[in-house]
Every structure is written in C-alpha cells, then in structure tokens.
C-alpha cells in the first residue's frame, strides 16, 4: 500500500509538471549628476552686503568648515574683486565639501552620484570621484571639491550636455544639477542639448 501511494504521488507530480519560478528584481539607485562651471569667472569674489554675505556663508556651510581649497588663479581673481570675500567657487566648494550629513552624503543615500566640470569648449571633464564605491577615500567630499578648478576660458553648456548624452549616457538618470554663475557664452543651445540628454 505504501509503495502504491508513493508511485501514485510520483506519477501525479510527473504529470502535473510543476514549475518553480524565481523572480529577482534589481532596483539600482537612480543616478544624479553634478555639472559644475569651471571657468575663470567662478574665481571672482562678488560684492554682497554684510547681512547677505552672512546668510550665503551660512547656507553653504562656509562658517562651519572655515577652510576652502583655492588655486593660484582663484587667489589672483579674488584680488581683482574683493580679496576679503570668498570667491564664487569657494561657496561651491564649501557646499559640496560639507562633512557630517552634508549635501553629498544626504544625496548619496538616494542616488548614485557623479560629478563633471565644464571647463572646455567641446564637452565636460569627468571627475575622479565615485560616491558608490566601497573605498571610503573615493566617497570623501574633500576629494571631490579638490578637483573643482577655475581654469576654463569658455562656458559651453550646450556642448557639455551633448557630451554627457554621447559619452556618459545612462537609462537611469534622475537629473542633472547645474552649478554656474551665468548663461553660456559658447557652443550650441543648452536647452536643445538638455532635451536630448
């Protein structure tokens, strides 16, 4: 009786042809890109009232960090303007360089971050920085801001977007955050190129 029951069970299983279906769903974090203006105009120091200067410094964490990474060109340019005021790039470096729950750390929790600098007429320069790496040195915000330079001559935002669309295309792009001081002064239309991207 036991053998007959086992045989009937095996026959039933064989005829039923059971299928084991396992679905693996991978949902990687979307990418968020930073596109930072790296032209000489970013090394200028703007004139603000003391109240506005304090508000701006507080907003980007300049008072908290107190240190900025400046290049010789930054120093020359800020001497032209107001040598005691931080340059435009100083504010950008301070914002991106915040430690302890700063902008970069908070965004890295939701997005895969990449950064580029617009300092060429024909495209962008990808920065050597990966916010998703297991190497803690590569996710360090200070490593990112040390690569922000102000040596570019022209601001070709349209060419930058076209370069991103061609060489760095991805199907999982959440957005591009553009940090710059004024409209483009060279190259194709930025709006048309952004739509392609």
């Amino acid at each position: 009786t036991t053998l007959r029951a086992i045989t009937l069970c095996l026959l039933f299983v064989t005829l039923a042809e059971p299928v084991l279906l396992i679905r693996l769903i991978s949902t990687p974090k979307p990418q968020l890109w930073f596109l930072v203006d790296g032209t000489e105009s970013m090394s200028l120091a703007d004139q603000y009232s003391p109240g506005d200067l304090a508000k701006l410094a507080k907003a980007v964490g300049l008072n908290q960090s107190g240190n900025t990474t400046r290049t010789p060109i930054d120093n020359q340019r800020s001497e032209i303007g107001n040598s005691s005021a931080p340059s435009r790039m100083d504010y950008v470096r301070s914002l991106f360089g915040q430690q302890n729950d700063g902008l970069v750390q908070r965004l890295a929790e939701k997005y895969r971050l990449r950064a580029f600098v617009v300092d060429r007429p024909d495209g962008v320069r990808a920065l050597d920085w990966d916010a998703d790496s297991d190497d803690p040195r590569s996710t360090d915000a200070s490593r990112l801001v040390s690569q922000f330079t102000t040596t570019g001559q022209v601001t070709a935002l349209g060419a930058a977007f076209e370069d991103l669309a061609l060489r760095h295309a991805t199907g999982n792009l959440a957005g591009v955050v553009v940090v710059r001081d004024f409209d483009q002064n060279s190259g194709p239309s930025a709006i048309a190129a952004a739509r392609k991207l």
Side-chain angles (χ1 to χ4, degrees):
T1 305
T2 304
L3 288 175
R4 286 181 184 173
I6 293 173
T7 303
L8 285 173
C9 288
L10 289 174
L11 183 62
F12 174 76
V13 168
T14 303
L15 294 176
E17 295 183 3
V19 175
L20 177 63
L21 181 62
I22 299 175
R23 291 186 181 177
L24 299 175
I25 300 174
S26 174
T27 54
K29 293 189 285 188
Q31 290 196 26
L32 181 65
W33 293 349
F34 297 112
L35 186 59
V36 178
D37 188 353
T39 57
E40 289 183 337
S41 63
M42 291 293 286
S43 64
L44 297 175
D46 295 310
Q47 300 291 329
Y48 295 107
S49 69
D52 288 341
L53 191 63
K55 288 177 187 175
L56 183 57
K58 182 178 179 185
V60 299
L62 193 60
N63 288 339
Q64 297 168 0
S65 64
N67 56 355
T68 55
T69 305
R70 296 172 66 90
T71 66
I73 289 181
D74 288 335
N75 293 328
Q76 291 171 3
R77 294 293 179 217
S78 63
E79 286 173 11
I80 294 170
N82 180 357
S83 60
S84 63
S87 71
R88 296 168 182 168
M89 186 57 80
D90 287 337
Y91 288 112
V92 174
R93 288 182 182 128
S94 181
L95 177 64
F96 283 88
Q98 293 176 359
Q99 301 294 332
N100 303 326
D101 200 32
L103 174 72
V104 171
Q105 287 82 8
R106 286 180 305 193
L107 289 174
E109 293 173 4
K110 296 181 180 180
Y111 303 100
R112 292 167 47 210
L113 305 177
R114 290 193 67 192
F116 306 89
V117 171
V118 181
D119 58 2
R120 304 179 337 202
D122 61 343
V124 299
R125 176 172 51 93
L127 299 184
D128 180 25
W129 178 77
D130 182 5
D132 279 340
S133 173
D134 293 331
D135 182 1
R137 290 174 300 164
S138 65
T139 60
D140 185 18
S142 61
R143 181 176 178 191
L144 171 65
V145 299
S146 68
Q147 298 177 70
F148 289 161
T149 60
T150 57
T151 57
Q153 298 295 316
V154 295
T155 306
L157 192 57
F161 281 133
E162 287 179 353
D163 187 28
L164 289 173
L166 288 174
R167 296 192 308 128
H168 304 282
T170 178
N172 197 19
L173 181 62
V176 180
V177 178
V178 181
V179 181
R180 47 195 328 263
D181 55 357
F182 61 92
D183 201 6
Q184 71 173 20
N185 58 15
S186 176
S189 167
I191 295 174
R195 285 185 180 135
K196 287 183 196 174
L197 178 63

